[in-house]
Amino acid sequence: MALDRPVKPDPYSLMPALPSFTLTSEDVTDGQPLKQDQVYDGGNTSPQLSWSGPPEGTKSYVITCFDPDAPTPSGFWHWALVDVPADVTELPAGTGAGGAELPGTAFHVASDFGTKEFGGAAPPAGDQVHRYYFVVHAVGEETLGVNDEVTPAVVSFNLAFKALARAVLVGTYQH
């Protein structure tokens, strides 16, 4: 079965425009292939992320990882970490692991893998290059107002109304 299809647009270019701030990583270089540590059948480890310069009024963060290039109409959510306290500006590698100690009252919602943890890059063999959007969303409320039973799509819907800014770092991967 061929998976030939057009490359989908940057999903955040289709969202309401928001200011940006700085997002860096020791593990992900913007526009470059992910390390094996961030691949599902490699290390399956969430990357280290650091951010700075969020807007005044930031009261919490939501961290997500989304692959718009999955061969589905809706892409594929790899990670959603909700209600990270505003005083946190870094997540060490591995924070996305199930059972990992999370800051404050932060919690994971289930990814499209069906688990409440980070799931690494896992595109179909032979498919086009996939992009993995690691995004830190600055939120103007201490809580996004969702619980750990919602989907990442519901998290994203709430962010459309509550995010003050977003910082984006894109890694790529292809089998």
Side-chain angles (χ1 to χ4, degrees):
M1 179 170 116
L3 292 175
D4 294 338
R5 62 199 181 281
V7 173
K8 294 177 184 174
D10 169 349
Y12 293 96
S13 71
L14 304 174
M15 299 296 297
L18 288 175
S20 185
F21 54 103
T22 302
L23 175 59
T24 61
S25 176
E26 296 169 1
D27 301 315
V28 178
T29 301
D30 197 47
Q32 297 300 308
L34 295 173
K35 295 178 180 178
Q36 278 300 115
D37 286 351
Q38 282 70 59
V39 175
Y40 189 81
D41 60 3
N44 200 37
T45 303
S46 61
Q48 180 275 342
L49 299 171
S50 298
W51 54 93
S52 62
E56 188 172 322
T58 298
K59 295 182 179 175
S60 66
Y61 298 100
V62 172
I63 292 83
T64 60
C65 178
F66 179 70
D67 170 8
D69 302 310
T72 70
S74 59
F76 198 92
W77 289 99
H78 287 260
W79 191 23
L81 178 61
V82 181
D83 291 353
V84 175
D87 62 348
V88 174
T89 58
E90 179 177 9
L91 294 177
T95 299
E101 185 174 334
L102 300 175
T105 58
F107 59 92
H108 291 110
V109 301
S111 70
D112 284 339
F113 287 108
T115 59
K116 293 179 181 178
E117 61 189 346
F118 172 80
D127 199 14
Q128 65 191 23
V129 173
H130 284 226
R131 295 163 294 163
Y132 297 86
Y133 285 75
F134 290 91
V135 183
V136 176
H137 311 263
V139 179
E141 300 178 22
E142 288 183 16
T143 177
L144 192 60
V146 300
N147 63 37
D148 69 348
E149 297 302 316
V150 302
T151 65
V154 171
V155 169
S156 186
F157 179 83
N158 280 272
L159 286 168
F161 301 97
K162 297 179 180 180
L164 302 174
R166 74 174 68 93
V168 180
L169 193 58
V170 182
T172 65
Y173 188 74
Q174 182 180 35
H175 275 289

